[in-house]
Amino acid sequence: MVDPEASSMSDTEKRHALKELEEAPLPSRVRSRTDSSITPNDQDEEKNDGQKEGDVEPQHISVEDWNGPNDPENPHNWPLWLRMYHCVTPGLLGFAVTFGTSVYTPALSDIMNDFHVSRTAAIVPLTVYTLGLAFGPVVSAPLSETYGRKIVYLISFAVFMLFTLGAGFSQSFAALIVCRFFAGFTGGPVLAVGGGTNADVFPPRQRAIVTSVFLMSPFAGPALGPFIGGFAAQHKGWRWTQWCMLFISVFTYIIAIPMKETYKKIILKRRAKELGMNPLDRTVTGASAVKSAFIQNFLRPLHMLVTEPIVFFLSLYTAFAFGVLFIFFAAFPYTFQRPPYNFTISQTGLTFLAIGLGVLIAGITGIFVDRKLYQHQFRQALERGESHALPEHRLYSSMIGSFGLPIGLFWFAWSADRGCHWAVPVVAAIPFAWGNLCIFISSALYIVDVYGPQNGASAVAANGIFRYTLGAVFPLFTIQMYSGLGIGWATSLLGFISVLMLPIPWVFYEWGPAIRKRSRYPVMM
């Protein structure tokens, strides 16, 4: 005969066991489908939407997404110092690459004498280097999607240093041109992949600050290049401009070696390998991969450039401002190395520090605008039950920066033309550089907010191709323009064009929602 007390105890244990079973956490395969830590930069964020529970074994899904919002392998959950390291390091790599554009310009006279070429021909190595920066990312972007960010940084940058070394040892003008082109082509990837790394480690709400910090470095490179290159060319010769590039590159490369992989797909793939699991690998290979990469990284950006008003006009504006910056590489020596200033090469290089100061102020402006204006709009959007603030609120920096370009250009034009004290035209470069970077930071954030991560990346790529193409071409006719029109009217012509473009961010701020509704591409907001 069974003891009633023993029977009752058994039922209690059963009830406890059933309750524990009901309250047990859902498997990671279910939790991953509602994971709030997934950010828009993950192009595979909708992979599991069509899968039903039980279709795949739990271990397969656990390596297809983060294990909840607190997954320690998610770069968004890394310590702040580690995330900042992965933001600053790509910026330093970008600084080293863009430093190579302008460090060459003080050596033009030496290049002319050593290789017996004209001034316009001596500018060609600058042009081909800049063109390389424009088209290098077309190759690097699919590689980073397949193999991850870190390997692209380390391999492409190492090859960049080898071609820089080759440029320094060049014994013919043709060899110099070839080495400079491939140095730019293999250095360009770090500029494109850096934006992807920022998206990997910071969510969209925090991205304005890291974008401002990241973009300050590539814009500071052209500003400091003539400063260092001027002393190197004057006292050591043109080859030392390339050695300076190499010294800075080796230093930044050593800093970059400890970087971790930040790309979600690669992190999950490695985790699956460590756990002995078989993730669903949807990576396209072979001819299909080449075709997809060509469409996504070249044809789609060009198509968006000619069909999307937002992409075209903002790219036109930022490309023009960037081209004028490259015009200054030739215009400053033309202005300050002639009477009444009669600067030496190294003294002319010092004038570019004003551009560096403007870049620094622009970075601070971008952070201030984000904290005081955009974040306020973001909090109001959350209170209204919306997940995002309107992308037009990203345009504040470009609207105020749009006045910096004409102010700086007209200021420089007539103060230099009339032979005012050298400090007056030099200081004019500060508002120009400030407006230039403010416009670019704001435009990049706006484009990504409008088109989302994938199409936004194509739009930013279109911007980069347009921007570096104008930066490559503009210096070729600078001396002819300044010789024919004079310093005052040549720079004023650029000022008048900047006035015509000034309304662009204001128009998008006012009528952006209506323009976005007519887009041929899906928009995020």
Side-chain angles (χ1 to χ4, degrees):
M1 188 172 183
V2 180
D3 183 0
E5 184 175 348
S7 176
S8 173
M9 183 65 70
S10 178
D11 291 339
T12 301
E13 290 176 350
K14 291 179 181 180
R15 285 196 298 271
H16 280 302
L18 180 60
K19 184 177 180 181
E20 289 176 0
L21 180 62
E22 292 173 346
E23 294 179 352
L26 293 174
S28 60
R29 63 186 177 92
V30 178
R31 286 186 283 118
S32 65
R33 298 177 60 173
T34 57
D35 183 1
S36 61
S37 71
I38 300 175
T39 60
N41 64 288
D42 301 316
Q43 297 178 4
D44 57 347
E45 61 184 345
E46 300 297 333
K47 278 185 178 180
N48 301 325
D49 281 358
Q51 296 177 346
K52 296 180 181 179
E53 296 179 17
D55 288 348
V56 189
E57 291 297 325
Q59 60 266 30
H60 292 293
I61 302 299
S62 66
V63 294
E64 289 294 310
D65 216 331
W66 304 123
N67 291 330
N70 298 318
D71 190 331
E73 293 191 63
N74 184 348
H76 288 181
N77 296 323
W78 291 354
L80 180 60
W81 68 267
L82 186 58
R83 289 187 289 156
M84 288 304 301
Y85 165 74
H86 285 82
C87 168
V88 172
T89 302
L92 293 176
L93 295 173
F95 170 82
V97 170
T98 56
F99 176 84
T101 58
S102 60
V103 72
Y104 171 86
T105 56
L108 291 179
S109 298
D110 284 350
I111 296 292
M112 294 166 61
N113 294 331
D114 278 12
F115 297 112
H116 308 290
V117 296
S118 67
R119 176 171 288 273
T120 301
I123 295 175
V124 171
L126 167 64
T127 296
V128 297
Y129 182 91
T130 311
L131 286 176
L133 296 181
F135 293 99
V138 175
V139 176
S140 67
L143 292 177
S144 72
E145 296 286 328
T146 305
Y147 301 105
R149 318 287 194 201
K150 180 177 179 178
I151 193 170
V152 172
Y153 286 130
L154 297 184
I155 293 181
S156 68
F157 201 76
V159 178
F160 159 77
M161 291 190 290
L162 291 177
F163 279 112
T164 301
L165 184 67
F169 280 122
S170 295
Q171 299 301 315
S172 68
F173 189 61
L176 177 62
I177 291 176
V178 171
C179 287
R180 286 280 293 177
F181 171 76
F182 283 105
F185 188 83
T186 54
V190 304
L191 300 174
V193 178
T197 300
N198 287 335
D200 292 338
V201 299
F202 285 96
R205 183 173 60 87
Q206 302 173 353
R207 212 163 285 162
I209 295 178
V210 297
T211 299
S212 300
V213 173
F214 171 72
L215 292 179
M216 281 173 61
S217 298
F219 272 77
L224 295 180
F227 164 59
I228 297 176
F231 285 95
Q234 180 174 333
H235 298 289
K236 291 290 186 178
W238 72 267
R239 297 183 191 277
W240 272 85
T241 62
Q242 304 306 296
W243 305 150
C244 289
M245 283 179 60
L246 201 57
F247 296 153
I248 293 175
S249 299
V250 170
F251 175 75
T252 56
Y253 189 79
I254 293 173
I255 294 177
I257 290 176
M259 289 182 70
K260 300 171 63 176
E261 181 55 57
T262 63
Y263 190 43
K264 178 180 180 180
K265 288 183 181 179
I266 303 302
I267 294 175
L268 294 177
K269 184 181 294 186
R270 291 177 180 175
R271 180 160 73 183
K273 185 177 181 180
E274 292 174 357
L275 297 175
M277 298 180 181
N278 297 314
L280 300 177
D281 190 358
R282 298 180 176 87
T283 303
V284 181
T285 59
S288 298
V290 175
K291 179 181 178 181
S292 176
F294 183 71
I295 292 174
Q296 181 172 340
N297 299 289
F298 188 72
L299 294 184
R300 184 189 295 168
L302 294 184
H303 185 262
M304 295 185 75
L305 191 62
V306 298
T307 61
E308 292 292 303
I310 292 175
V311 178
F312 174 76
F313 284 104
L314 289 179
S315 296
L316 177 65
Y317 197 10
T318 56
F320 168 77
F322 198 72
V324 174
L325 175 64
F326 275 65
I327 280 179
F328 279 174
F329 295 157
F332 272 34
Y334 179 86
T335 301
F336 292 109
Q337 291 179 14
R338 300 165 65 249
Y341 301 112
N342 297 315
F343 281 10
T344 64
I345 295 176
S346 57
Q347 289 172 333
T348 303
L350 288 170
T351 62
F352 285 88
L353 293 179
I355 294 178
L357 179 58
V359 168
L360 177 62
I361 297 173
I364 296 173
T365 301
I367 295 173
F368 178 82
V369 168
D370 175 74
R371 305 310 298 173
K372 297 299 181 181
L373 298 178
Y374 179 80
Q375 294 298 331
H376 174 69
Q377 297 294 334
F378 181 80
R379 287 191 294 270
Q380 287 188 336
L382 293 182
E383 292 173 358
R384 295 192 299 267
E386 301 169 359
S387 59
H388 301 282
L390 288 176
E392 282 70 32
H393 295 300
R394 295 288 196 187
L395 294 172
Y396 295 130
S397 291
S398 60
M399 289 191 291
I400 60 177
S402 63
F403 293 99
L405 265 64
I407 289 174
L409 290 172
F410 286 120
W411 181 347
F412 177 84
W414 297 107
S415 61
D417 188 78
R418 296 186 179 184
C420 296
H421 187 275
W422 63 265
V424 179
V426 167
V427 172
I430 297 176
F432 166 79
W434 167 77
N436 191 342
L437 184 53
C438 280
I439 292 169
F440 182 65
I441 291 175
S442 186
S443 299
L445 291 170
Y446 177 67
I447 287 174
V448 174
D449 273 11
V450 169
Y451 293 102
Q454 185 169 358
N455 290 325
S458 296
V460 172
N463 186 297
I465 293 173
F466 203 175
R467 195 170 72 254
Y468 281 108
T469 300
L470 291 192
V473 172
F474 275 22
L476 292 174
F477 59 79
T478 299
I479 300 301
Q480 296 89 324
M481 182 175 71
Y482 272 72
S483 299
L485 299 177
I487 296 172
W489 285 110
T491 314
S492 292
L493 175 62
L494 302 173
F496 289 130
I497 296 175
S498 70
V499 171
L500 290 176
M501 294 187 177
L502 187 150
I504 290 176
W506 297 83
V507 169
F508 285 125
Y509 180 80
E510 182 67 26
W511 292 286
I515 296 173
R516 286 188 278 115
K517 289 180 180 178
R518 297 184 177 90
S519 173
R520 299 187 181 188
Y521 287 82
V523 295
M524 295 294 292
M525 305 178 195

